[in-house]
Amino acid sequence: MSQKITVLRDTQPQVLLDATKWEKLSGDPHTVNLNAYTSEDGSKIMGTWICTPGKWAVNYTKWEYCDFREGYCILTPEGGEPIHLKAGDIFVVEPGFQGTWEVVETVRKYFVFA
């Protein structure tokens, strides 16, 4: 039987550099993922994401919760209006979101993919 509660107080995050599958469109963005938790089956991940300025084409196949701690970015859905996000914003990206993710000022966010 798997444990029902995972306390992350003393965990050491798995560090992944430039580990994104997204296509770079402009700039020279670099990412750092500090993955603090991954479910046994790999379907759920949570941690911290840091990204320097640049623009990506994105196509979400999973649900993502984001809690922005630093920075500024613009998410633009295909055929839609830009959504400006900054430190202090909390938002969810639903599966099926396609468009661009532009980091204007280096971003640090807490995330959960499920």
Side-chain angles (χ1 to χ4, degrees), residues 76-90:
T76 305
E78 265 183 8
E81 294 296 316
I83 301 163
H84 298 261
L85 300 159
K86 61 187 182 332
D89 286 340
I90 297 172

Side-chain angles (χ1 to χ4, degrees), residues 4-24:
K4 299 296 181 192
I5 295 176
T6 302
V7 179
L8 302 174
R9 181 181 311 119
D10 298 322
T11 61
Q12 296 297 318
Q14 176 187 15
V15 179
L16 301 171
L17 303 176
D18 292 324
T20 182
K21 63 182 179 182
W22 296 346
E23 175 191 358
K24 291 181 188 180

Side-chain angles (χ1 to χ4, degrees), residues 68 70-74 84-87 102-107:
F68 262 40
E70 298 175 15
Y72 166 58
C73 75
I74 303 167
H84 298 261
L85 300 159
K86 61 187 182 332
E102 181 179 4
V103 175
V104 179
E105 297 172 1
T106 298
V107 164

